[in-house]
Structure formats: structure tokens, C-alpha cells
Amino acid sequence: MQILGQILEQIEGRIRAYSGPREPEGLYAPVGYIMTLGGKRIRPLLCAAGYLVDRPELEERVLDACLALELFHNFSLVHDDIMDEAPLRRGKPTVHERWNVPTAILAGDVMLIDVYEQLRMASLPGQLSAVLRCFHGVAVGVCEGQQRDMAFEQAAGVTWDAYLEMIRGKTAVLLGGSLELGGLLAGMDHDRAVLLGRLGEALGLAFQLEDDWLDAFGDPALTGKQPGGDILRGKKTALYVMSMAMAGAESRLELERWFDPGTVSEPQTRVQAVLDIFERSGSREAVAARAAGYHEEALGLLDQLDGRGPGATLIRHLVGQLKGRKH
Ligand code: IPE
Ligand code: IPE
Ligand code: MG
Ligand code: MG
Ligand code: MG
């Protein structure tokens, strides 16, 4: 879709302009590294699309909000990779691997701090309060989700509902907030902005289910992440939680044994054994089906959204692109 390509080019231009060399280099080189390492730019694209639901074309200031969302996302990735002890991101060494953990913490911090300045610049005088309120809810939600995600590594008996609550925080609220912020900057009324947020959350739930699925069954050359990274880290992903709900008693015990850090095994053996259980239990299929269900929910909410601009069509296109994504 041509207009989507043009918006992406504008977003990339703004990211490049932000990511140039700055002093002190020790702080900003890792920021430039992660910001220009690629990535799908879904959150800024959603923000732009949210704005365009009611407006015919983008304004310069909206690109500041797009940058803010990509900055927040990359801050969360840099810190997430420390928490998850991940070696690879977008096919390259993670920031804490390439530099070190203290450098990665501070690079993440400065990106988060810059988010607020970009949001200030993006907002018209009467909009800043609503924009900050919306972003605050998102940022707190991500922290809550990330804490639940870490706690699940040690927890037994994670339910599907608890899992959903976790991913709603760590991932879905940011996709929802991206659309909603776009709407708020366009001066959209409260109810329709909230509808945009709900649509983005449904899309975000699908997005994280697919992220979990790809970590296990995707092509590492395309995902750019360590093969089987979630399994090696003992993550209670959708595949794990669904397997525990669907598998027979014997397979459940087997799965628990492979997830027990005390079980000694070659990493590859562990990954393969767990993948086999995900397959056998039907969880591989079931998680993909749940993701498809949330995509449908997002499209259903989109049907309720009228608007004068091209935004609704752009959102439909983005949802289509994300469905069954490979990275
Ligand atoms: C990865 O996000 C982290 C999740 C919330 C699943 P993306 O899949 O959007 O990562 P990039 O920005 O495209 O690399
Ligand atoms: C990421 O979840 C959520 C945030 C970064 C806030 P994951 O830990 O599954 O993301 P990836 O798989 O490392 O990209
Ligand atoms: Mg991670
Ligand atoms: Mg994580
Ligand atoms: Mg993941």
C-alpha cells in the first residue's frame, strides 16, 4: 500500500535524524545502534494510522509522537534483553552483549526520558494532559506485565487468564496506546479514542501470541532471535501454558521436567523435546488459532470505527500484514 510505504519512510527519516552521533558517545552510540538496527516500526505506524482516522494527512508534530513510541519500545527491548539474558536482537548482538549491562541500563533510561520530550513536542497546548495520562497508563502497564513475566519463570500452574493479563501489560497496552495517542493528537473524542485503544489491545494480544509462537517455531534467520530462547530461559509462554491445559498427565510431567532448571541436558535436546510436546499436545495449533481469533476481534472493532481520513483502511492493512507474520 503506497501511503503506508510513504509514512514508513517519514518515520524512518525521523528515527535516523534522532539517532545520529552525539556526545558522550558511550551513552548515545548504543542508542543509535538499537534504533537503527531495523524493526517493523509497528507502534509508530499505528500512531500515524490512528491520527489519520479523522485527518486527511500527517502533520510534522505527529512524527514526534511516532518517534516517542519507537523510543519507548526500544527502551523496553534493551531492558527486556537484560532481564531475559537474550544474546540476539534483530539478528545482531543485544546492547548489553555488545557493550555491557550498565551501559544498556543507561541507554534505555535516556531513551525513556526522551520519550517525554517528544510527546511534549507532539502535543498541542490543550492535548498534553490527555496524552501524558494515556502514556502513563501504557508505561505502568508494561512494567507490571514485565514483572509478571519474570515471576512466571518461577511460578507453577500459570493459568491462561493469568498469562493473558501478563501479555496485556507487557505488549498489548502499548499497541493500544499507539493507536489511541494518534487519535488524541487528531482531537478525537474520548469514546472513539478508547475504541482505538481496545482495537490495538486485541491486535497486541494476537501480536504477543505470535511472538511466543515464532520464538519456538519461527525461522531464527527471520526472527533475529536465539532459536528456542524462551524454552532455554524457562518462559511460561502461550505454548507452555496451553500445553499444560491440553496435554495428558504424562506429557505434563515431562514438560515440567524439561522446564526444571535442575534437569541436566544439552540445550538442543531440551529445546527439541519441548517442541515435540508443544506439537503433540495440540498447543502449537491452538495458540495459532487464538492469535487468529484476536486478529478477528481487532477487525470487528475496526468495523465500528467510522472516520473521514484514510486511517481505518491503513489499520486494516496493518492487521493484514501482521497476520501470520514471519518476524
Ligand atoms: C518485540 O516487538 C517485542 C514484543 C513486544 C513482542 P517487535 O516484534 O515489534 O520488534 P521489532 O521492533 O519489530 O524488532
Ligand atoms: C517483550 O516480550 C515485551 C517487552 C519488551 C516489553 P518478549 O520478551 O517476548 O519479547 P522478545 O521476544 O524478547 O522480543
Ligand atoms: Mg525478551
Ligand atoms: Mg521478555
Ligand atoms: Mg518473545
mmCIF file of all heavy atoms in Angstrom, residues 170 208 211-212 215 225 230, ligand 5:
data_model
loop_
_atom_site.group_PDB
_atom_site.id
_atom_site.type_symbol
_atom_site.label_atom_id
_atom_site.label_comp_id
_atom_site.label_asym_id
_atom_site.label_seq_id
_atom_site.Cartn_x
_atom_site.Cartn_y
_atom_site.Cartn_z
ATOM 1 N N LYS A 170 2.516 -6.387 29.166
ATOM 2 C CA LYS A 170 3.860 -6.198 28.601
ATOM 3 C C LYS A 170 3.838 -5.799 27.129
ATOM 4 O O LYS A 170 4.770 -5.168 26.655
ATOM 5 C CB LYS A 170 4.739 -7.437 28.824
ATOM 6 C CG LYS A 170 4.508 -8.613 27.915
ATOM 7 C CD LYS A 170 5.668 -9.645 28.034
ATOM 8 C CE LYS A 170 5.433 -10.829 27.133
ATOM 9 N NZ LYS A 170 6.544 -11.786 27.113
ATOM 10 N N GLN A 208 1.502 -10.763 20.604
ATOM 11 C CA GLN A 208 2.375 -11.462 21.559
ATOM 12 C C GLN A 208 2.207 -12.979 21.448
ATOM 13 O O GLN A 208 3.173 -13.718 21.608
ATOM 14 C CB GLN A 208 2.121 -10.991 22.995
ATOM 15 C CG GLN A 208 3.087 -11.596 24.008
ATOM 16 C CD GLN A 208 4.548 -11.269 23.719
ATOM 17 O OE1 GLN A 208 4.892 -10.121 23.467
ATOM 18 N NE2 GLN A 208 5.424 -12.268 23.728
ATOM 19 N N ASP A 211 4.386 -13.784 18.742
ATOM 20 C CA ASP A 211 5.789 -13.665 19.158
ATOM 21 C C ASP A 211 6.238 -14.931 19.885
ATOM 22 O O ASP A 211 7.330 -15.461 19.634
ATOM 23 C CB ASP A 211 5.948 -12.434 20.057
ATOM 24 C CG ASP A 211 7.382 -12.248 20.529
ATOM 25 O OD1 ASP A 211 8.184 -11.691 19.759
ATOM 26 O OD2 ASP A 211 7.703 -12.686 21.651
ATOM 27 N N ASP A 212 5.388 -15.426 20.784
ATOM 28 C CA ASP A 212 5.709 -16.674 21.501
ATOM 29 C C ASP A 212 5.825 -17.836 20.517
ATOM 30 O O ASP A 212 6.731 -18.680 20.623
ATOM 31 C CB ASP A 212 4.597 -17.005 22.516
ATOM 32 C CG ASP A 212 4.646 -16.114 23.757
ATOM 33 O OD1 ASP A 212 5.482 -15.190 23.822
ATOM 34 O OD2 ASP A 212 3.825 -16.346 24.681
ATOM 35 N N ASP A 215 9.007 -17.641 18.484
ATOM 36 C CA ASP A 215 10.210 -17.955 19.258
ATOM 37 C C ASP A 215 10.481 -19.459 19.232
ATOM 38 O O ASP A 215 11.630 -19.906 19.224
ATOM 39 C CB ASP A 215 10.040 -17.471 20.706
ATOM 40 C CG ASP A 215 11.383 -17.285 21.397
ATOM 41 O OD1 ASP A 215 11.945 -18.299 21.885
ATOM 42 O OD2 ASP A 215 11.882 -16.146 21.426
ATOM 43 N N LYS A 225 16.239 -13.783 16.545
ATOM 44 C CA LYS A 225 16.391 -14.099 17.971
ATOM 45 C C LYS A 225 17.023 -15.482 18.132
ATOM 46 O O LYS A 225 17.031 -16.287 17.198
ATOM 47 C CB LYS A 225 15.032 -14.058 18.677
ATOM 48 C CG LYS A 225 14.383 -12.677 18.645
ATOM 49 C CD LYS A 225 13.022 -12.675 19.333
ATOM 50 C CE LYS A 225 12.224 -11.441 18.920
ATOM 51 N NZ LYS A 225 10.849 -11.453 19.431
ATOM 52 N N ASP A 230 13.051 -18.760 24.461
ATOM 53 C CA ASP A 230 12.075 -18.783 25.563
ATOM 54 C C ASP A 230 12.142 -20.104 26.333
ATOM 55 O O ASP A 230 12.013 -20.122 27.564
ATOM 56 C CB ASP A 230 10.642 -18.605 25.017
ATOM 57 C CG ASP A 230 10.338 -17.150 24.647
ATOM 58 O OD1 ASP A 230 11.023 -16.246 25.142
ATOM 59 O OD2 ASP A 230 9.394 -16.939 23.846
HETATM 60 MG MG MG B 5 9.276 -13.159 22.805
#
